[in-house]
Amino acid sequence: MRILVTGGAGYVGAASVDALLAAGHDVVVLDDLSTGHRSAVAPSVAVRVGSYGDADFTSSILEEERIEAILHCAARSLVGESVADPARYWQANVAGGIALLEAARAAGVRRFVFSSTAAVYGLPDRTPIQEDDPIRPINPYGETKATFERALAGYGVSHGMRSVSLRYFNVAGATERVGERHDPETHLIPNVLRAADGGPELSLFGDDYPTPDGTAVRDYIHVADLADAHLAAIEATAPDDPRTDVPLICNLGSGAGFSVREVLAAAEAVVGRPIPHEVAKRRAGDPPVLVASAARAGEVLGWTPRRSQLEGMIGAAWTWRRRNPDGYGA
């Protein structure tokens, strides 16, 4: 199959490109390289530089490359930035997403997998979170992802788009080629490892949550497991596959949670020394616990995470960081 991966030069996208290639698919990447890295993409893959929100440009790629399915990983994805500049998020994640859907419709592409987020749930009433729990995002980032999910479902009704939306929890780890390197970096594990590597002291935001050790608990998923889920989801969008007769939504997580202090302790075990840290005030809107029920992904997609050990995820990320001290370079 010929698959377009938007955001394919990013952390999640590049790992997913590798998984699709390994499964025998032909892949084209569309990325504006504002946060992604050309060198993160496998050398054999064509990278078309531009915005998925440019309908004419995207339409030309879909037609010229004879694309049959889309994996949409590209998005604005910083919660704090979304609060400070919501217009940028509505423009990119919603207006740009609709432009991509329109280009797909015009080109006859009817298979679509969407990188959604656990942020659509906001402050959940229970844990583990299930896909039918209320959608109550508390920031523009989550709002835009939830809105695009609804738009995608509408394209299924009106235009026969077969789709899977995957709500990620915290992605971590690294593959042999692909690791996590963002600027700014907002994710816990890379910030822990940066502190271990002589970077800024780690801030633990809150130690007074109603959790066993007082720090927030989160569900982590290895980036390679996430890439496997993308592959399973693409396969589920086949025209005769009953799993996507209606739009399918699945959580992706391990079904277990680790506290911030547990992440810190595991990282110290991996690197073999204490990691400088301080306790800071809670961040507004951070729930005490976010853990996924991934039962639907197992039952419907046949997907289960195979790399859920915390030290294994941190160890893979640390190995990649040590091998690539400058990240992806230019």
Side-chain angles (χ1 to χ4, degrees):
M1 192 184 337
R2 296 187 60 79
I3 302 170
L4 178 70
V5 179
T6 71
Y11 171 48
V12 168
S16 299
V17 167
D18 287 350
L20 294 170
L21 292 173
H25 296 295
D26 295 321
V27 179
V28 177
V29 163
L30 171 58
D31 200 301
D32 65 8
L33 301 183
S34 60
T35 59
H37 307 271
R38 175 62 182 86
S39 56
V41 184
S44 63
V45 174
V47 177
R48 305 291 292 269
V49 179
S51 171
Y52 62 88
D54 182 337
D56 291 340
F57 181 57
T58 304
S59 293
S60 68
I61 294 171
L62 295 176
E63 293 171 5
E64 291 167 11
E65 301 288 353
R66 296 173 284 110
I67 297 299
E68 299 168 84
I70 296 171
L71 170 57
H72 183 34
C73 295
R76 305 302 309 177
S77 60
L78 299 178
V79 170
E81 182 184 63
S82 79
V83 174
D85 190 2
R88 188 179 191 188
Y89 278 66
W90 287 100
Q91 179 61 45
N93 295 355
V94 178
I98 298 300
L100 176 61
L101 285 175
E102 274 296 285
R105 179 192 62 77
V109 180
R110 297 292 185 267
R111 302 177 67 170
F112 201 104
V113 174
F114 174 48
S115 295
S116 191
T117 173
V120 301
Y121 295 112
L123 302 176
D125 295 329
R126 63 174 178 172
T127 191
I129 303 167
Q130 298 182 10
E131 291 86 351
D132 295 330
D133 286 348
I135 300 303
R136 295 184 302 228
I138 59 173
N139 52 63
Y141 168 60
E143 289 278 9
T144 60
K145 288 286 195 170
T147 299
F148 186 79
E149 280 189 12
R150 290 190 287 269
L152 183 56
Y155 270 70
V157 173
S158 299
H159 305 299
M161 185 74 73
R162 304 179 73 89
S163 68
V164 182
S165 294
L166 298 173
R167 294 173 179 166
Y168 309 162
F169 282 62
N170 292 45
V171 186
T175 66
E176 184 72 20
R177 282 197 338 96
V178 178
E180 188 170 12
R181 185 58 65 94
H182 301 116
D183 185 19
E185 184 55 75
T186 62
H187 296 157
L188 176 61
I189 288 176
N191 278 329
V192 169
L193 297 181
R194 185 171 63 168
D197 214 13
E201 184 178 59
L202 177 71
S203 292
L204 275 63
F205 294 106
D207 64 351
D208 57 350
Y209 285 101
T211 61
D213 66 15
T215 61
V217 173
R218 296 291 182 266
D219 195 340
Y220 292 87
I221 174 176
H222 197 293
V223 68
D225 284 334
L226 178 53
D228 291 344
H230 281 153
L231 177 60
I234 288 282
E235 292 170 351
T237 61
D240 58 350
D241 195 316
R243 293 176 294 177
T244 50
D245 284 343
V246 295
L248 176 63
I249 295 173
C250 293
N251 290 335
L252 294 184
S254 69
F258 300 100
S259 73
V260 174
R261 287 200 181 277
E262 287 176 317
V263 171
L264 178 61
E268 289 178 336
V270 167
V271 304
R273 58 180 179 271
I275 296 175
H277 64 278
E278 64 174 357
V279 175
K281 292 182 179 180
R282 293 189 191 187
R283 294 179 298 193
D286 271 356
V289 180
L290 283 177
V291 175
S293 168
R296 180 182 292 177
E299 293 165 2
V300 180
L301 294 179
W303 174 88
T304 55
R306 297 186 292 115
R307 310 165 182 88
S308 297
Q309 291 188 342
L310 182 59
E311 284 194 16
M313 285 187 273
I314 294 173
W318 180 243
T319 297
W320 186 88
R321 182 182 181 90
R322 301 299 284 173
R323 288 177 177 169
N324 302 275
D326 297 321
Y328 294 103

